[in-house]
């Protein structure tokens, strides 16, 4: 059963589970599952890595997909993630800017030192929410959407994400989740905001801290 956060005639906002593709492809994928459950066609406008879970929005009409894609181009689709890192990033908050090269043959990204063919700029900001047992719960906001961006930027600084075997984080489920999604509604223009939180596994010791931090958003914004 797919967990739906919101639906109307124009959009579906749902929780993507780890292990499911966010776009059409071989094996279980969210567009096909949504179409089977709700009928009609859904249109992906953004993606999550197969191993990543959390909130996603799909358009239910072609004009809606075009409007959401335009919002992305205008940087009006806000995506925030939570992750658990091995080690504690230093300083406790900041902005990371890197040059990333994605090796399609190996499906792996690398931080490089100079611009050349295939290299793209990557930027995110982060804030450590809590730390315990040599791991840290971190909140991340993406400013660019590069392949494996969060995973490689954390790994390049010696704090790979827990469970990220590709980038040195060891085995187990990948501790990366799409926790917040905000965008203008493709029909009405109303600002839509959705939160979705992981539970269990690597998140268990941080669940209260995670939800408390997101609930404090309005206090920080008004201070």
């Amino acid at each position: 059963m797919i967990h739906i956060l919101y639906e109307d005639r124009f959009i579906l906002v749902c929780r993507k589970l780890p292990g499911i593709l966010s776009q059409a492809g071989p094996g279980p994928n969210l567009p096909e599952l949504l179409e089977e459950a709700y009928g009609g066609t859904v249109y992906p406008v953004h993606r999550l890595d197969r191993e990543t879970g959390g909130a996603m929005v799909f358009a239910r009409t072609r004009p809606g997909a075009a409007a959401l894609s335009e919002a992305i181009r205008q940087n009006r689709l806000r995506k925030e993630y939570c992750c658990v890192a091995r080690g504690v990033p230093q300083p406790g908050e900041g902005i990371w800017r890197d040059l990333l090269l994605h090796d399609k043959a190996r499906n792996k990204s690398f931080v490089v030192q100079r611009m050349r063919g295939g290299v793209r700029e990557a930027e995110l900001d982060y804030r450590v929410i809590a730390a315990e047992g040599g791991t840290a719960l971190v909140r991340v906001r993406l400013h660019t959407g590069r392949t494996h961006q969060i995973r490689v930027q954390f790994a390049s600084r010696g704090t790979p994400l827990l469970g990220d075997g590709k980038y040195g984080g060891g085995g187990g489920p990948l501790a990366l989740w799409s926790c917040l999604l905000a965008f203008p509604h493709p029909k009405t223009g109303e600002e839509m905001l959705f939160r979705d939180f992981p539970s269990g596994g690597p998140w268990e010791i941080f669940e209260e801290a995670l939800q408390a931090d997101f609930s404090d958003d309005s206090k920080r914004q008004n201070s």
Side-chain angles (χ1 to χ4, degrees):
M1 185 68 177
I2 300 173
H3 182 67
I4 298 296
L5 304 176
Y6 175 84
E7 65 171 307
D8 61 25
R9 292 187 296 126
F10 306 98
I11 59 173
L12 273 170
V13 182
C14 65
R15 173 185 296 160
K16 174 195 169 304
L17 294 177
I20 296 176
L21 290 172
S22 60
Q23 296 177 315
N29 66 84
L30 205 44
E32 287 186 2
L33 293 173
L34 288 170
E35 289 170 3
E36 290 173 3
Y38 293 92
T41 303
V42 299
Y43 301 89
V45 294
H46 67 116
R47 65 180 297 275
L48 293 176
D49 292 346
R50 183 195 294 266
E51 302 91 342
T52 304
M56 290 193 71
V57 59
F58 290 84
R60 303 183 82 168
T61 66
R62 287 188 182 276
L68 287 172
S69 295
E70 181 61 26
I72 292 172
R73 282 191 288 271
Q74 295 177 2
N75 200 30
R76 296 181 66 197
L77 188 146
R78 174 183 165 198
K79 293 185 288 185
E80 293 195 20
Y81 296 78
C82 48
C83 62
V84 179
R86 287 186 177 273
V88 182
Q90 298 295 330
E93 62 182 301
I95 298 175
W96 290 343
R97 299 182 180 91
D98 291 298
L99 298 176
L100 299 188
L101 175 66
H102 180 59
D103 183 335
K104 293 183 179 179
R106 299 168 61 186
N107 190 28
K108 190 172 183 178
S109 294
F110 300 87
V111 172
V112 298
Q113 300 304 312
R114 62 181 180 84
M115 185 63 73
R116 59 181 189 273
V119 173
R120 305 180 74 185
E121 294 179 345
E123 180 179 309
L124 60 77
D125 65 62
Y126 73 93
R127 178 168 51 83
V128 175
I129 298 173
E132 187 171 336
T135 63
L137 174 67
V138 188
R139 183 167 170 175
V140 180
R141 181 171 179 178
L142 282 181
H143 299 286
T144 54
R146 311 307 182 206
T147 301
H148 299 171
Q149 179 179 333
I150 296 173
R151 298 162 64 182
V152 68
Q153 287 194 272
F154 272 75
S156 71
R157 289 165 171 84
T159 53
L161 304 191
L162 204 66
D164 193 356
K166 184 182 287 285
Y167 292 97
L174 176 64
L176 178 62
W177 198 269
S178 173
C179 287
L180 184 148
L181 197 60
F183 54 88
H185 191 280
K187 181 65 175 180
T188 67
E190 177 187 359
E191 186 69 16
M192 311 292 287
L193 187 147
F194 302 94
R195 296 181 176 90
D196 186 53
F197 302 115
S199 61
W203 307 100
E204 188 169 1
I205 61 173
F206 292 121
E207 286 179 17
E208 290 186 8
L210 177 62
Q211 296 194 32
D213 186 78
F214 275 83
S215 69
D216 285 343
D217 279 355
S218 58
K219 297 178 185 178
R220 282 192 290 267
Q221 291 169 359
N222 295 327
S223 63

